[in-house]
Amino acid sequence: MIKKNYLLAPGPTPVPIDILLEGAKDTIHHRTPQFKKIFEEAVKGTKEVFRTENELFILASSGTGAMEMAVTNIVNPGEKVLVFSVGKFGERWTEIAKVFGANVVLVEREYGDFYTPEMVEEAIEKNPDAVAVLTTLSETSTGAVMDIEGISRVVKAAGKLIAVDCISGLVAEPLETDKWGLDIVVSGSQKGFMLPPGLAYISLSKAAIEKAQTTKSTSFYFNLKKYLKDPLPWTPAVNLIYQQRAAVDMLLKEGMENVWARHAVMGKATREAVKAMGLELFSKRPGNVLTSVKVPEGVDGGKIVSIMRDEYGVTIAGGQGSMKGNIFRIAHLGYMSDFDVVTALTALEKVLRRLGYSVEFGTGTKVAMEIFEREGV
Ligand SMILES: *Cc1c(COP(=O)(O)O)cnc(C)c1O
């Protein structure tokens, strides 16, 4: 049989053909009026996706670069930051902040769990000298989504800066940078934006920029002061910027509310389908970026992922770190719709049967398609 490839992991995600073709266009010089126009349109559209009128920069790096830019420009070595962590990407905030000498106060809960505005409020009360709170919208290692609107409310009430890692969450989950008062929002190209890897984005409020002006930036490449003088301090990823412009155009044509609704129904359909297959969700507050599922008793979790990928061409993700072998993660993120969900579920039924788990074909897809028919995409 021929083998087609289906990319159903939480990044990189599938790239629409029109966007791939944008990247194949002639590379032009970046210090030209022609490129400037394309770049400005890409930034303008990206701001609309972020729902912000704040400064926004597009970086030639993966998402982690934007996290590093956030930390190195608003936190001086020795200053206190509060990090909330419920998985691998919360841990990444801690690692970055520590590398640059911040005094990290870590509020950690077990993988799969989430944190609430009340927990954040309590931690701020205990640490009134903290300058910033580092949070995550969608913890991709577990699928948990945080109430960033509520969390921002308590952080703002305390007069602190809030930075949110929205690398996987943006596009899939509603996010209102300006309405919610988010000082720093970071994201990356290879998740909800439907682009190849290689771009990161960072938006900064006036308060974040003010703090940056008095912070001794510990990074050269990501020094905000340089970006404020010239949004292209170094050679940009020219062809990816063409693709960025095309991708935001596509998102904005669909309309962000519709994009969010599409992800919400894909998330719900996947969750209900795996439950119908007798499986259990891993996350305590699952979102619409991905669904993490506990590996059923007696099944080799690593094999679910490797057989699906290597034999069926369907790439989902396994568990990371201590969750390796215990969970698997199906993304419904970016350039995806009902039939992508059906592909993932069908491949899952097929591999589970092969590994000795009893499930009838169509158990999950029936539930999913009924939800799609009722709630529509
Ligand atoms: C993917 C991801 C990152 C890391 O992004 P890179 O592009 O690999 O640097 C960070 N945080 C979250 C929540 C992510 O999903």
Side-chain angles (χ1 to χ4, degrees), residues 62-64 67 89 92 138 140 165 167-168 190-191:
S62 81
T64 305
M67 296 173 78
F89 294 107
R92 185 158 304 175
S138 159
T140 321
D165 169 356
I167 296 176
S168 69
Q190 78 278 21
K191 311 245 167 127

Side-chain angles (χ1 to χ4, degrees), residues 34-162:
Q34 289 78 7
F35 183 72
K36 189 162 179 265
K37 179 170 179 287
I38 295 169
F39 182 71
E40 283 173 357
E41 286 170 5
V43 170
K44 182 169 176 283
T46 309
K47 283 188 186 182
E48 283 178 48
V49 173
F50 272 60
R51 311 280 255 200
T52 190
E53 288 174 13
N54 285 342
E55 281 295 348
L56 182 144
F57 298 105
I58 303 183
L59 318 171
S61 86
S62 81
T64 305
M67 296 173 78
E68 185 164 320
M69 183 162 180
V71 170
T72 54
N73 286 282
I74 61 162
V75 189
N76 279 304
E79 275 181 339
K80 190 184 269 187
V81 286
L82 280 171
V83 179
F84 292 84
S85 175
V86 285
K88 188 167 177 286
F89 294 107
E91 287 164 13
R92 185 158 304 175
W93 273 132
T94 302
E95 284 166 353
I96 296 170
K98 283 193 173 158
V99 162
F100 292 99
N103 173 7
V104 176
V105 175
L106 175 62
V107 180
E108 205 171 16
R109 299 178 73 80
E110 64 177 12
Y111 277 38
D113 209 344
F114 61 97
Y115 42 91
T116 63
E118 292 71 33
M119 290 173 202
V120 175
E121 193 169 32
E122 192 189 315
I124 294 175
E125 272 165 18
K126 281 193 201 140
N127 297 279
D129 52 337
V131 298
V133 177
L134 308 182
T135 61
T136 314
L137 172 60
S138 159
E139 174 50 72
T140 321
S141 63
T142 68
V145 166
M146 299 330 124
D147 170 12
I148 292 299
E149 182 179 11
I151 289 168
S152 182
R153 206 173 295 131
V154 303
V155 176
K156 296 283 87 189
K160 310 290 178 200
L161 294 173
I162 179 167

Side-chain angles (χ1 to χ4, degrees), residues 44-320:
K44 182 169 176 283
T46 309
K47 283 188 186 182
E48 283 178 48
V49 173
F50 272 60
R51 311 280 255 200
T52 190
E53 288 174 13
N54 285 342
E55 281 295 348
L56 182 144
F57 298 105
I58 303 183
L59 318 171
S61 86
S62 81
T64 305
M67 296 173 78
E68 185 164 320
M69 183 162 180
V71 170
T72 54
N73 286 282
I74 61 162
V75 189
N76 279 304
E79 275 181 339
K80 190 184 269 187
V81 286
L82 280 171
V83 179
F84 292 84
S85 175
V86 285
K88 188 167 177 286
F89 294 107
E91 287 164 13
R92 185 158 304 175
W93 273 132
T94 302
E95 284 166 353
I96 296 170
K98 283 193 173 158
V99 162
F100 292 99
N103 173 7
V104 176
V105 175
L106 175 62
V107 180
E108 205 171 16
R109 299 178 73 80
E110 64 177 12
Y111 277 38
D113 209 344
F114 61 97
Y115 42 91
T116 63
E118 292 71 33
M119 290 173 202
V120 175
E121 193 169 32
E122 192 189 315
I124 294 175
E125 272 165 18
K126 281 193 201 140
N127 297 279
D129 52 337
V131 298
V133 177
L134 308 182
T135 61
T136 314
L137 172 60
S138 159
E139 174 50 72
T140 321
S141 63
T142 68
V145 166
M146 299 330 124
D147 170 12
I148 292 299
E149 182 179 11
I151 289 168
S152 182
R153 206 173 295 131
V154 303
V155 176
K156 296 283 87 189
K160 310 290 178 200
L161 294 173
I162 179 167
V164 194
D165 169 356
C166 300
I167 296 176
S168 69
L170 198 81
V171 173
E173 295 288 339
L175 180 96
E176 297 281 1
T177 301
D178 288 357
K179 264 194 217 151
W180 299 353
L182 307 175
D183 293 295
I184 296 188
V185 171
V186 299
S187 195
S189 57
Q190 78 278 21
K191 311 245 167 127
F193 276 99
M194 315 176 283
L195 293 171
L199 293 181
Y201 326 94
I202 182 168
S203 76
L204 302 113
S205 68
K206 282 200 181 72
I209 291 173
E210 263 167 39
K211 175 69 174 78
Q213 301 290 6
T214 61
T215 299
K216 179 188 171 301
S217 175
T218 40
S219 171
F220 182 83
Y221 188 73
F222 295 121
N223 187 330
L224 180 67
K225 291 176 193 113
K226 289 197 168 72
Y227 284 82
L228 287 167
K229 266 192 218 129
D230 173 1
L232 298 171
W234 338 112
T235 313
V238 170
N239 294 54
L240 276 165
I241 299 291
Y242 305 161
Q243 294 178 302
Q244 179 71 19
R245 184 176 66 162
V248 292
D249 211 40
M250 208 173 138
L251 288 170
L252 296 170
K253 276 207 181 102
E254 185 178 352
M256 291 315 295
E257 281 79 3
N258 297 331
V259 172
W260 296 335
R262 171 165 56 83
H263 284 87
V265 69
M266 289 194 293
K268 180 175 175 184
T270 309
R271 291 189 293 275
E272 294 308 317
V274 293
K275 283 194 260 173
M277 290 161 71
L279 302 168
E280 220 185 308
L281 301 179
F282 176 66
S283 164
K284 292 188 182 142
R285 196 170 189 271
N288 302 320
V289 173
L290 69 139
T291 297
S292 22
V293 184
K294 291 185 187 167
V295 171
E297 201 78 47
V299 173
D300 180 338
K303 276 202 178 136
I304 296 177
V305 177
S306 66
I307 294 175
M308 259 169 107
R309 181 192 58 226
D310 301 336
E311 297 187 35
Y312 308 159
V314 180
T315 301
I316 60 166
Q320 296 165 295

Side-chain angles (χ1 to χ4, degrees), residues 349 362-371:
E349 286 173 356
T363 307
T365 51
K366 178 176 189 295
V367 169
M369 285 317 294
E370 281 167 358
I371 290 172

